[in-house]
Amino acid sequence: MNELVPGGNLELPSGAVNIRVPGPFDVSALVTDDGGKVRDDGDFVFFNQPAAPGALLRGDTLTVDPPGLRTGATRVTIAISPAEPGTVLGDLPSPALQVTDAAGRPLARFTPPRPRQETVLLLAELYRRGGLWKLRALGQGYADGLAGLARDFGVDVVDDAPPSAAPPGTPRALDPDGLLPLVNSARAAAGSPPLCLDARLMSAAREHAAAMAAAGRLGVETRDGVSVYQRVTGAGFAYLTLGEHLVSGPRTTAEFVAYCLRTDGPRRTLHDPAFTHAGLARVYDGPSGDTYWTALWAVPLTPDGLTRTAATVIDLTNRERARAGLPRLIADPALTAAAQAHSADMVARAFYAHTAPDGSRPWDRAAAAGSTRRSIGENIACGQRSPADVVEGWMNSPGHRANILRPGFTHIGIGCAGGGRAGMYWTQLFGG
């Protein structure tokens, strides 16, 4: 039986497979196309709707028969949430996904890093490549609960009537200072879509603003040694992109927004059309008389978004090789799995190095993921917020640039994971 790591892949046999997650969890699944969207609400399988063509949920076991899925379906994403409402996954036993074939023979097992404040965890996805179906281990927490997960996959979830000043789904209590309407007004003037507040981002913003006020100074990392990025994932929001404004001085919401719009860098962040979710908080420090603000702007992590990000890094890397007259690198599944696992590991175990705490090195990780490439090279980076930023940084470093432009490399895998001490952690793994 295969023990999978985050990002690990397994080719599935023909016919149905069973995916079981024992314990105090509700299992759910979303049937989608390559774009990551359901066709209609019937593609969401959960305890209140336990069946769809090719998918059947019985208790803690989901049976998926790929040939029986509806026309156009190329992916089935499996998630879990606590069976008891209001519980966070960190208070429950660690989930373990078990995969068996139609005859009950074990195929794979996956135990993700232990969740903390997440209320939904994407465990795995079944996906079609050519004529084959494969399983990919994920292990990523989700920001908005089960309803938010469904919405991001295109399921129509009905909300109670929201306040008129806030986007749909934004409870008034989340924004007592009325900051979001001012932010969204500024975004609308720049042609950017409105943001929705997220309770987990709000919690992380409040914690960080309070920690800055207690220390009497601004900082990405506060006196307790916790960074704003760690607070975000600790609150249960897994992100693909995160921007922040850490500010002291403005006393009113209008002054804060004006401050963010005053200079080019903060203005670009506030206007960035990619951001969809926000967390906003201010804390008044009585002794100093200062007001400390934390504003968080985010793109939630989804499997499809992670795939697009990796593809963009590869495309930018290949552009640099083309300028040097070198052939394009080809995406390699084994190298991708190893790269993603290393990025996730650097976040989970709070290190930044080519050699992991267990002593494994790039070629060890590549081989463990199934790579048979004779030569292996690795670039890592942390802190960059976008594919363009990370590739530019690598190209400005002689050693990293040499790997990108090495003629003997023919294949590549990309991994990225957010929530570490420095934010986003990137891995670029080459093979030849």
Side-chain angles (χ1 to χ4, degrees), residues 167 170 180 183-184 187 193-197 270 272 275-278 296-298:
T170 302
L180 187 65
V183 169
N184 281 337
R187 287 174 63 85
L195 299 170
C196 289
L197 291 179
L270 190 146
D272 191 331
F275 291 131
T276 56
H277 292 66
L296 303 171
W297 326 101

Side-chain angles (χ1 to χ4, degrees), residues 31-105:
V31 180
T32 65
D33 55 22
D34 281 333
K37 297 294 184 183
V38 299
R39 185 175 61 182
D40 54 41
D41 295 356
D43 283 343
F44 186 23
V45 178
F46 65 115
F47 54 88
N48 276 341
Q49 184 173 277
L56 177 63
L57 179 62
R58 294 190 185 94
D60 62 5
T61 302
L62 175 75
T63 299
V64 179
D65 182 18
L69 293 171
R70 55 98 171 158
T71 303
T74 58
R75 187 178 302 172
V76 180
T77 303
I78 296 100
I80 60 164
S81 55
E84 184 66 28
T87 305
V88 297
L89 288 168
D91 293 338
L92 301 175
S94 294
L97 179 142
Q98 303 167 10
V99 185
T100 60
D101 66 12
R105 289 183 290 265

Side-chain angles (χ1 to χ4, degrees), residues 139-155:
Q140 296 292 339
Y142 208 83
D144 294 339
L146 198 57
L149 168 71
R151 286 190 192 94
D152 276 11
F153 278 75
V155 177

Side-chain angles (χ1 to χ4, degrees), residues 150-430:
R151 286 190 192 94
D152 276 11
F153 278 75
V155 177
D156 186 17
V157 178
V158 178
D159 284 320
D160 294 333
S164 59
T170 302
R172 188 184 302 277
L174 279 183
D175 191 22
D177 299 318
L179 183 56
L180 187 65
L182 296 177
V183 169
N184 281 337
S185 177
R187 287 174 63 85
S192 298
L195 299 170
C196 289
L197 291 179
D198 181 272
R200 292 164 184 78
L201 290 175
M202 294 294 291
S203 174
R206 283 193 296 269
E207 285 187 14
H208 200 74
M212 291 192 299
R217 64 180 179 86
L218 299 173
V220 168
E221 185 174 308
T222 49
R223 191 166 55 191
D224 56 8
V226 181
S227 75
V228 67
Y229 315 111
Q230 291 169 314
R231 293 189 202 282
V232 169
T233 54
F237 191 107
Y239 65 86
L240 189 62
T241 309
L242 185 75
E244 75 279 347
H245 283 126
L246 309 177
V247 178
S248 66
R251 302 304 296 268
T252 68
T253 54
E255 289 177 2
F256 171 76
V257 173
Y259 180 91
C260 293
L261 294 173
R262 192 173 302 161
T263 54
D264 185 56
R267 183 170 58 247
R268 283 201 310 270
T269 299
L270 190 146
H271 285 164
D272 191 331
F275 291 131
T276 56
H277 292 66
L280 312 165
R282 65 173 170 177
V283 172
Y284 177 71
D285 179 30
S288 71
D290 288 332
T291 302
Y292 286 83
W293 300 79
T294 298
L296 303 171
W297 326 101
V299 176
L301 177 69
T302 63
D304 192 55
L306 186 64
T307 299
R308 286 197 306 269
T309 297
T312 302
V313 174
I314 293 174
D315 180 63
L316 292 171
T317 299
N318 279 329
R319 291 184 192 183
E320 298 296 342
R321 287 177 63 88
R323 291 189 184 100
L326 295 170
R328 294 176 61 84
L329 299 172
I330 300 169
D332 181 277
L335 296 179
T336 299
Q340 183 61 38
H342 188 56
S343 286
D345 192 30
M346 287 192 288
V347 169
R349 291 201 276 180
F351 73 97
Y352 177 66
H354 294 288
T355 301
D358 60 8
S360 64
R361 293 171 293 181
W363 39 91
D364 302 319
R365 295 188 289 270
S371 174
T372 57
R373 306 291 166 194
R374 295 188 196 179
S375 59
I376 295 291
E378 183 181 79
N379 288 341
I380 58 175
C382 63
Q384 296 85 354
R385 291 187 174 132
S386 70
D389 289 342
V390 73
V391 173
E392 180 182 7
W394 281 328
M395 287 301 293
N396 288 334
S397 166
H400 298 97
R401 180 187 177 94
N403 269 340
I404 289 174
L405 301 182
R406 182 170 168 179
F409 287 145
T410 56
H411 291 74
I412 188 172
I414 301 296
C416 62
R421 189 172 181 177
M424 186 70 73
Y425 284 66
W426 304 82
T427 302
Q428 191 178 43
L429 195 59
F430 304 92

